[in-house]
Amino acid sequence: MSTPGGLRERKKEATRTALHEAAVRLTVERGLDDVTVEEIADAAGVSRRTFSNYFAGKEDALLYGDEQRLEELLAAFEASPPGGSAWTTLRHVLHVLYDGKDDPDPQLAVKARLAKRHPSVLGRQLAHFAAFERRLAAAIAARDGLPETSVRARAMAAAFLTALRIGSLMWTDQQPGRPLRAIVDETLDEMAAPFS
């Protein structure tokens, strides 16, 4: 039997997901400039006020899925057993999370192209990455017993996330080319030498 807090959190997550999916669907159909927050809220079956309780704007709703994937990566990295380099562990965690899964939904490619074309989406995406990069650097430092201000941990976090971003952008440019995982692995290989 679930606790009321657990049920409440699941309902909140369902609302966030519905808003995200509505934002993606409407943006793919009509383009970002032709979609309003009100239309996203209506499509998700919630009020404009409810939308504002979850997201600051349509860009944040659009990028929510990316944010969740990064959160999943961080949680798995923090839960991984000690031993081995942090870089190797990050790669292992990435493979475990996406093992057996096909390439992401083609909407990921659409969102990446939107980020390239719309400064407001790119700005929010870069802000999310910067905040996440700080958290990942702190997790790397904690794992490796480094000071919180460690340049190595910050550089590793930045390199890892940059490799993910570059791999994803290359994948969107090559659609329907090689699998995303192969491109990301190749990009991570290029970044790996200083951290392995």
Side-chain angles (χ1 to χ4, degrees):
M1 187 168 165
S2 62
T3 63
L7 178 60
R8 185 177 308 118
E9 287 307 311
R10 284 195 303 275
K11 286 183 176 182
K12 286 181 178 181
E13 181 57 29
T15 301
R16 276 188 200 92
T17 300
L19 287 164
H20 165 67
E21 290 172 353
V24 171
R25 185 179 66 255
L26 292 172
T27 301
V28 168
E29 289 171 5
R30 296 191 261 166
L32 184 67
D33 294 333
D34 294 326
V35 175
T36 66
V37 166
E38 289 77 12
E39 290 169 328
I40 295 169
D42 286 346
V46 300
S47 69
R48 168 66 169 90
R49 182 175 178 183
T50 298
F51 178 98
S52 298
N53 289 337
Y54 290 94
F55 297 110
K58 59 187 177 182
E59 294 83 2
D60 289 328
L62 187 65
L63 295 170
Y64 179 67
D66 298 339
E67 185 180 319
Q68 288 309 104
R69 282 186 287 280
L70 291 175
E71 289 296 333
E72 194 176 85
L73 175 73
L74 181 61
F77 176 74
E78 290 175 332
S80 65
S85 75
W87 184 267
T88 301
T89 302
L90 281 167
R91 291 195 68 170
H92 174 73
V93 163
L94 186 67
H95 286 165
V96 168
L97 288 176
Y98 299 107
D99 195 33
K101 294 182 182 176
D102 293 329
D103 266 349
D105 188 314
Q107 290 178 344
L108 178 63
V110 171
K111 287 189 281 186
R113 287 186 197 107
L114 282 169
K116 286 183 188 178
R117 286 195 312 260
H118 293 279
S120 63
V121 176
L122 181 59
R124 292 307 301 152
Q125 188 178 53
L126 293 175
H128 287 175
F129 263 66
F132 185 78
E133 182 183 303
R134 288 188 293 275
R135 293 175 57 213
L136 181 58
I140 290 168
R143 178 187 181 83
D144 288 352
L146 300 170
E148 284 186 33
T149 56
S150 166
V151 172
R152 178 178 172 78
R154 292 185 74 181
M156 187 183 303
F160 187 79
L161 292 174
T162 298
L164 293 182
R165 190 174 61 80
I166 289 169
S168 295
L169 289 172
M170 290 172 63
W171 176 73
T172 53
D173 290 343
Q174 295 179 16
Q175 277 296 337
R178 296 182 301 139
L180 174 60
R181 181 172 169 171
I183 296 171
V184 168
D185 273 341
E186 192 176 279
T187 309
L188 287 166
D189 286 342
E190 291 294 324
M191 294 281 203
F195 303 114
S196 295

